[in-house]
Amino acid sequence: MSSALVAAPNSNLEGKDKVSRKKRFWFAIIAILPTFAIFGWVRMFPIAETLRLSLFEWNLLSRNKPFVGLENFRELFQDDQFLDAIINTAAIAFGAMAVTIPVSMVLAAVIYHRTRSRFAGFYETAVFIPHVVSLVPAAMAWKWVFDAKLGPLNRLIVAFGGEAQPWLFDPVLSVICIILLVSWQTLGYGVLIYLVGFRNLPKSVYEAARLDGANGVQSFFFMSVPLLKPITLYVSVVTLISGFNVYAQAFILASDTQGAPGRLVRVLVLDMLENSFQNFRVGYAAAEAVILLVIVLVLTGVQFGLLRQRGRK
Amino acid sequence: MTVSSNTRSRRKNLLLDMMLFVICVLLLLPLLLLIANGFKTPQEILVWPPTILPKDPTLENFQRVFSETPLFRWIFNSLSFALLSMIAIVITSTLAGYVVAKFQFWTINVIFTLFLATAIIPFEVYMIPLYFQVKALGALNSIGGLLIGYLVMSFGIFLIRQNVIATVPDELIEAARIDGAGEFWIFWHIVVPLLKGPIAALSVLAFFQAWTTFAWPIVVLTRKTAFTIEVGLANFQSAYTVDLALLSAASAAVMVPSVLVFVLLRRSFVEGIAASGMKE
Amino acid sequence: MGKLNFIGRMSTIVCLSAGITVGGHVAANAEDIVIWGGFPELQGYYERVAESMKSTHPDLNVIVEPIGLRDHEKRVALALSSGLDETTVFELIGSTANRYIVNDLLPSAPANVAGFVNNAANFEPFFQEVAAVDGKVYGVPIFRGQGALFYNTDMFAAAGLDGPPKTMAEYTEYAKKLTQRDASGNPTVSGWSLRLSGGGGGIAEKFWINLHQFGGSLLEKAGDGYKASYANDAGLAALRQYVEAVSGDKTVTVEMPADAAAFQREQTAMFIRESWVIGDTAKKAPNLNYKTALLPRGSIALPVNLYVAGGSEKAQKAAWEFAIEANKPEHLIWMLDNVGWLPNRSGVDYSSVTTAKPQFSAFVDLPDDYAFFTLPSIEPINEILTRFAAKLTEAYADSSLVGNDAAMMAVLEESAAETNKILDRAGILGK
């Protein structure tokens, strides 16, 4: 390994460069091929198969599967439930992203700062566990937190002189409840990723900054935040995409088991699943998937544009 | 360092510790309620507002969970499935993530875009054709059939890509090439050691993705003995009610292996990073 | 490279364990039959039936695999549409099964089973009709969901009421008397718990139950098809009752705890629900004093049948025998007593159960003119209910509707137009 670490002057000979470029290309192709093949088989093929259905009308069972062209899309844009679902889903995705990124970054910075503390393991585990716990029993606890009459959240608000709110029933507040639940779940994910980022930052840079008199907060904003841009891009894309994929949280907060119902916040995936498995309109649900794909692809493209970076030089 | 700045920084650390502690307790609060629910009688679990600490704690729910359901079997199934999936994902993601980060060819860029785009469509939506594929292989009710859905992970590739961009300098790779190192040698001896942290994080994410997944196992597995934990837990919900006491007890019991796996994986990656402390 | 070693060690363990797991999975043999249900609470019942078949079928291996209703319906759809490998007994609501039958995915019952089902001594015509399509028997009736009024006798006594309400006007009147309020007049215990929010079509289904008491129906047959039939006086009366309860008399609010759990916690004085509440209450609130009563005109009935598909002929035969065995009186009495779902078979003496648990009598001792309705077996039924439910949720919470019949009618008309549009798209809109 030591020989590789010796920096050599760049020797840019045209011909040699072409040969090595070709060699690198083939390495890249061969290295990625197995993964690409698996992707093709278990992701791209079934997805393409699903998306194709958006041009058909199919009830999941019938052999009869008439081609309807863009009819499903035309109907979608007049469907109140679908439009409602898009707005709710976008609000949840952006809301969860806006909470997760700053909070997990700061939390990770503080936990990283306290790496030597004997509680470091506890902090990381405590933040991460909500990400892996089963949703149904956890959501029961959350419903209690949000409860209009006796929930601790409202008690807190009242104690500070505010007015108790019907958290799970108001059209706006119920969306906020889902954002909080989703953020609670994804926070551990973000912290884990940022911690890896912090641990991989070159310590020499910080050392230099400290000698120049920068304090912790300054080096966080002027060193860590820009250096962690690739990680922030990752976390923001992942939270946005998973935000658009939310449905179990919405379903569970509205379910009336244990006598505590809530307002059903209609989200895209819930609408799709209902359309394919309960309304038996597979083609229509596939059209929704196409629209979801287009929206999120565009948003992800924007994120890549905003957080563009070159490889570290 | 002067004595006063030392005590000041110690006081600051104490403050930070206290802050972290409060945050952690707040985050764990819903889970504490969940665990407490596992110790409650069916009558007490109905009390509204819920009691935080069980008045009359009982172990009956746990006894029932272990005697009435093959919980250990389910944990074992989940563990095998999650570990196999984790290994497959770590291998495929590390290779592919490195390639998409450092090899700027348009073909590779297109492939990366495709990888990422597949993550946008929710799994539940394209599960139907995938189910037909797995059924055609005769792989229902097996770990193999489960695994088919979980061999690759778009976000895993993306995670490695971003970390390669953030932490593997081009110069290092160029220098090795000039020294005549082969591409695979560079990957294995230079890139992978620098990626220990991200690989460990990826292992955690991949493991728990499989551990908590529900939509796929519920259609692939129809035999109680083949269930994973999450599917098994769904059995505590009847058509219109939830046996919350039993469900909470089972979830609380399942948290034990979850925490254990996380602590194990975490220890291995914190040590891994400490060992690779050559990066000054 | 501690990390890689760790992975290496783990993978050894895993490969070993995976070998065991996959090896432990035994392929189904000819004498295996699988029971797929959507009601996990019935596991014990099916196991009991299987046990009693042991003597006549020593080689038969019955595997009971129930799971929650939503997931059950999903797996049935996937399994039936991709072909079954092993003989499976499906527990399905009649209206759900219909779509598999019309797509030729469920076979009709053999002659002896059809004879059993069509025997007037075994089942009432209502259940025979739901088990058949175009006069051909496909399923064996087993149990049903049916509603009745549950009321808290202590609260009734405290309010000076000595019996259940008998008309819908009395429901409103009683609810007012039963509601308990705090100092500022806000209800703390609802007089009559109504389904006002939550997920899916349940809201519309509950509305339909009330509508039925006013003589109305959500859908009615028209020619060969169906049409919405709630934008009329009956529909208005039902909606008015809801709106008055929430925003007028305030006998219940959207945010209040509701349903069985609220009843068991004594947060509501009465509500309408299925018979499973009896078993559930015995477990969770054994000291609650309550009775049940018939609804003014009649109830919803959602019959569940057993269907058979897949596997060898021999195993299929055994599976049909299982469906008949499941209808033996001793098993049905056990189900009513221990699970609380209502068996469909006639001529069974349930008095041992109804004497011990009198609450069951409002479900099984019915007057001759008690009118049942069920969800029609049409493909878009769920979509119709869900979309109507969304409209209803908004209307219930809209206090501007109080006393404004015209506005309420407008809500109903708008929803009915939407319902008809869905029916039209499915090609079953009657004129």
Side-chain angles (χ1 to χ4, degrees):
Chain A
M1 189 179 284
S2 60
S3 68
L5 285 169
V6 181
N10 270 0
S11 50
N12 269 339
L13 288 170
E14 272 288 302
K16 200 182 161 195
D17 201 44
K18 229 178 209 168
V19 172
S20 82
R21 199 181 141 78
K22 207 169 169 189
K23 230 169 83 188
R24 270 159 48 205
F25 177 74
W26 283 110
F27 167 77
I29 292 294
I30 290 167
I32 214 166
L33 206 63
T35 311
F36 187 67
I38 301 176
F39 253 97
W41 186 50
V42 303
R43 295 276 187 277
M44 292 167 200
F45 173 73
I47 288 177
E49 196 56 20
T50 305
L51 298 186
R52 197 175 60 88
L53 286 173
S54 66
L55 303 175
F56 293 84
E57 192 188 313
W58 186 42
N59 71 357
L60 191 65
L61 300 180
S62 170
R63 278 181 206 97
N64 187 9
K65 201 189 289 182
F67 180 83
V68 293
L70 296 176
E71 182 55 32
N72 285 326
F73 293 92
R74 203 189 55 77
E75 196 186 329
L76 267 183
F77 286 107
Q78 297 164 358
D79 183 340
D80 304 340
Q81 285 198 352
F82 170 70
L83 300 175
D84 188 35
I86 284 200
I87 293 167
N88 288 334
T89 315
I92 291 167
F94 281 104
M97 190 172 78
V99 175
T100 307
I101 291 181
V103 176
S104 59
M105 198 170 184
V106 171
L107 256 181
V110 178
I111 292 178
Y112 176 64
H113 179 76
R114 299 297 300 135
T115 300
R116 294 221 174 72
S117 152
R118 90 184 71 162
F119 300 114
F122 166 73
Y123 298 148
E124 278 178 50
T125 316
V127 173
F128 188 72
I129 287 304
H131 181 64
V132 301
V133 79
S134 196
L135 186 62
V136 174
M140 293 296 169
W142 276 99
K143 290 190 91 159
W144 164 64
V145 171
F146 293 130
D147 187 74
K149 278 208 149 54
L150 305 154
L153 188 60
N154 268 344
R155 285 194 179 176
L156 203 70
I157 293 173
V158 172
F160 281 97
E163 208 174 302
Q165 302 291 328
W167 287 99
L168 291 165
F169 299 94
D170 183 85
V172 175
L173 293 179
S174 51
V175 172
I176 291 178
C177 287
I178 295 180
I179 293 177
L180 287 177
L181 178 55
V182 171
S183 305
W184 177 69
Q185 286 184 302
T186 50
L187 200 60
Y189 189 101
V191 169
L192 181 77
I193 302 296
Y194 272 121
L195 267 175
V196 171
F198 276 111
R199 288 190 178 123
N200 270 340
L201 287 179
K203 290 173 187 65
S204 50
V205 187
Y206 281 95
E207 209 46 44
R210 209 169 56 84
L211 291 177
D212 284 348
N215 65 23
V217 177
Q218 280 168 332
S219 60
F220 173 78
F221 279 109
F222 297 109
M223 314 281 309
S224 313
V225 173
L227 281 174
L228 288 174
K229 236 175 166 185
I231 308 300
T232 303
L233 173 65
Y234 174 80
V235 178
S236 70
V237 169
V238 169
T239 42
L240 193 79
I241 292 181
S242 7
F244 268 92
N245 278 263
V246 153
Y247 85 97
Q249 290 86 347
F251 181 71
I252 268 175
L253 283 186
S255 93
D256 43 13
T257 44
Q258 298 300 305
R263 182 178 181 277
L264 180 69
V265 176
R266 188 158 281 278
V267 289
L268 268 182
V269 180
L270 190 76
D271 205 53
M272 278 184 231
L273 290 180
E274 232 175 62
N275 272 325
S276 47
F277 284 107
Q278 295 192 325
N279 304 342
F280 310 113
R281 305 188 66 200
V282 180
Y284 193 66
E288 288 183 87
V290 171
I291 291 172
L292 172 73
L293 181 68
V294 172
I295 292 177
V296 180
L297 261 187
V298 170
L299 290 174
T300 311
V302 171
Q303 287 176 313
F304 269 82
L306 288 177
L307 292 165
R308 180 173 296 280
Q309 36 18 57
R310 313 238 110 243
R312 220 178 89 210
K313 294 290 166 194
Chain B
M1 212 174 258
T2 64
V3 178
S4 77
S5 86
N6 209 348
T7 47
R8 198 187 315 147
S9 83
R10 200 180 293 161
R11 202 176 301 157
K12 210 172 72 188
N13 283 343
L14 193 72
L15 206 74
L16 285 178
D17 272 334
M18 273 162 59
M19 189 192 90
L20 281 175
F21 223 83
V22 171
I23 291 174
C24 288
V25 168
L26 278 179
L27 286 173
L28 290 179
L29 203 64
L31 299 182
L32 296 180
L33 186 68
L34 184 159
I35 296 170
N37 280 345
F39 290 97
K40 289 177 186 170
T41 58
Q43 289 87 345
E44 187 176 355
I45 207 149
L46 202 67
V47 174
W48 199 261
T51 47
I52 309 278
L53 288 178
K55 260 183 251 134
D56 175 23
T58 167
L59 281 175
E60 206 204 312
N61 298 319
F62 288 90
Q63 277 160 2
R64 275 188 62 196
V65 164
F66 284 106
S67 64
E68 288 173 20
T69 65
L71 195 71
F72 285 116
R73 175 84 202 201
W74 295 344
I75 291 178
F76 177 79
N77 290 345
S78 283
L79 211 59
S80 334
F81 164 51
L83 282 173
L84 284 170
S85 158
M86 176 185 96
I87 292 165
I89 286 174
V90 165
I91 295 171
T92 52
S93 300
T94 311
L95 253 177
Y98 166 60
V99 169
V100 295
K102 288 293 184 195
F103 294 79
Q104 297 294 330
F105 301 101
W106 70 266
T107 19
I108 301 290
N109 289 340
V110 168
I111 289 178
F112 174 64
T113 313
L114 279 173
F115 283 165
L116 202 54
T118 59
I120 296 169
I121 304 288
F123 189 76
E124 287 82 355
V125 170
Y126 63 86
M127 188 171 72
I128 304 172
L130 189 62
Y131 174 88
F132 289 171
Q133 281 167 264
V134 171
K135 178 140 192 175
L137 286 179
L140 295 183
N141 277 315
S142 75
I143 296 271
L146 264 188
L147 261 182
I148 286 173
Y150 286 84
L151 292 170
V152 287
M153 179 180 178
S154 306
F155 288 159
I157 295 170
F158 185 29
L159 176 72
I160 298 295
R161 175 189 186 266
Q162 296 310 96
N163 276 284
V164 169
I165 290 173
T167 57
V168 182
D170 286 346
E171 292 85 351
L172 208 56
I173 297 171
E174 271 315 312
R177 281 189 186 130
I178 287 160
D179 283 359
E183 292 295 337
F184 192 77
W185 192 93
I186 295 174
F187 169 72
W188 189 249
H189 291 277
I190 297 180
V191 177
V192 169
L194 287 176
L195 289 178
K196 274 184 184 168
I199 288 177
L202 174 62
S203 318
V204 172
L205 298 180
F207 179 91
F208 284 106
Q209 173 191 258
W211 181 262
T212 54
T213 187
F214 179 74
W216 180 237
I218 194 112
V219 296
V220 175
L221 310 174
T222 52
R223 278 290 195 283
K224 207 162 263 176
T225 49
F227 278 1
T228 57
I229 278 293
E230 280 295 306
V231 179
L233 289 183
N235 257 26
F236 295 113
Q237 300 173 56
S238 60
Y240 302 108
T241 55
V242 174
D243 200 332
L244 191 56
L246 274 193
L247 178 62
S248 301
S251 309
V254 168
M255 265 200 283
V256 175
S258 303
V259 173
L260 222 60
V261 167
F262 180 76
V263 169
L264 263 175
L265 284 173
R266 179 189 168 272
R267 183 173 297 164
S268 86
F269 72 75
V270 170
E271 278 166 8
I273 288 168
S276 72
M278 47 118 200
K279 36 181 321 197
E280 292 308 315
Chain C
M1 301 223 161
K3 173 71 212 156
L4 297 174
N5 278 337
F6 174 78
I7 291 184
R9 243 178 298 147
M10 279 308 205
S11 54
T12 326
I13 299 172
V14 168
C15 292
L16 286 173
S17 59
I20 298 166
T21 315
V22 176
H25 172 67
V26 189
N29 61 53
E31 284 297 290
D32 274 1
I33 60 171
V34 186
I35 316 293
W36 272 11
F39 301 84
E41 61 266 38
L42 284 170
Q43 168 115 17
Y45 161 73
Y46 288 121
E47 277 166 1
R48 203 184 136 85
V49 175
E51 196 55 43
S52 78
M53 278 181 84
K54 273 267 154 66
S55 55
T56 47
H57 297 74
D59 300 334
L60 188 69
N61 181 26
V62 179
I63 304 156
V64 185
E65 300 281 8
I67 198 143
L69 194 56
R70 259 175 177 259
D71 297 313
H72 171 62
E73 286 178 351
K74 202 184 292 173
R75 73 177 173 182
V76 170
L78 285 172
L80 281 179
S81 53
S82 63
L84 275 174
D85 299 327
E86 46 197 13
T87 306
T88 310
V89 177
F90 295 94
E91 179 192 270
L92 290 173
I93 296 171
S95 55
T96 311
N98 185 62
R99 50 191 307 271
Y100 299 110
I101 294 168
V102 297
N103 283 297
D104 290 330
L105 295 173
L106 283 173
S108 58
N112 65 324
V113 177
F116 174 79
V117 173
N118 282 332
N119 185 339
N122 290 337
F123 298 102
E124 307 249 344
F126 175 80
F127 297 114
Q128 290 170 340
E129 272 164 41
V130 177
V133 173
D134 295 333
K136 212 164 166 190
V137 175
Y138 284 84
V140 177
I142 188 89
F143 68 93
R144 66 186 183 274
Q146 179 187 318
L149 178 75
F150 287 79
Y151 64 100
N152 184 312
T153 44
D154 292 342
M155 290 186 192
F156 268 60
L161 302 165
D162 54 3
K166 301 235 166 38
T167 63
M168 288 316 263
E170 277 184 4
Y171 270 71
T172 298
E173 189 191 312
Y174 279 38
K176 280 190 229 173
K177 288 183 184 157
L178 288 161
T179 307
Q180 299 171 29
R181 298 174 193 278
D182 62 13
S184 48
N186 295 317
T188 53
V189 170
S190 57
W192 176 20
S193 180
L194 297 164
R195 176 76 68 95
L196 302 169
S197 78
I203 298 164
E205 202 181 291
K206 300 286 178 277
F207 179 85
W208 194 339
I209 295 175
N210 285 14
L211 177 63
H212 182 69
Q213 314 310 324
F214 288 106
S217 170
L218 219 61
L219 298 170
E220 69 182 9
K221 265 213 134 101
D224 288 339
Y226 287 87
K227 66 177 192 196
S229 57
Y230 52 85
N232 52 26
D233 288 346
L236 183 62
L239 181 58
R240 193 193 292 124
Q241 190 171 37
Y242 271 95
V243 171
E244 290 287 334
V246 178
S247 305
D249 306 329
K250 295 200 169 65
T251 55
V252 62
T253 67
V254 179
E255 297 90 28
M256 289 180 94
D259 213 337
F263 186 68
Q264 290 157 354
R265 285 185 211 129
E266 308 192 30
Q267 290 165 328
T268 187
M270 59 178 181
F271 80 124
I272 296 172
R273 212 41 167 133
E274 295 93 349
S275 53
W276 59 262
V277 174
I278 297 170
D280 199 53
T281 305
K283 208 163 54 181
K284 295 177 179 165
N287 299 320
L288 190 75
N289 293 320
Y290 72 100
K291 283 185 179 165
T292 58
L294 296 171
L295 301 180
R297 179 164 167 255
S299 163
I300 190 171
L302 284 179
V304 174
N305 302 324
L306 295 182
Y307 300 83
V308 173
S312 69
E313 220 168 282
K314 192 174 159 212
Q316 278 205 11
K317 195 166 160 270
W320 284 115
E321 279 171 41
F322 181 91
I324 290 178
E325 177 79 20
N327 267 303
K328 270 211 177 136
E330 48 167 308
H331 300 316
L332 297 178
I333 292 169
W334 190 91
M335 168 168 28
L336 182 68
D337 195 20
N338 292 278
V339 191
W341 283 110
L342 303 177
N344 289 345
R345 191 167 179 183
S346 350
V348 180
D349 179 15
Y350 297 113
S351 57
S352 63
V353 182
T354 48
T355 339
K357 298 173 184 171
Q359 286 97 346
F360 276 118
S361 54
F363 289 95
V364 289
D365 300 333
L366 308 172
D368 287 339
D369 62 345
Y370 205 57
F372 281 114
F373 73 95
T374 191
L375 300 182
S377 305
I378 52 174
E379 207 160 272
I381 183 68
N382 234 302
E383 191 178 356
I384 289 170
L385 291 177
T386 317
R387 290 201 183 247
F388 184 41
K391 290 266 183 337
L392 283 174
T393 319
E394 267 173 50
Y396 294 160
D398 184 355
S399 56
S400 73
L401 291 180
V402 181
N404 189 344
D405 281 2
M408 283 189 262
M409 200 56 166
V411 169
L412 292 172
E413 273 162 3
E414 197 194 326
S415 301
E418 191 179 49
T419 301
N420 285 336
K421 211 170 106 190
I422 298 171
L423 289 167
D424 192 26
R425 195 189 58 222
I428 47 172
L429 178 66
K431 52 231 146 312

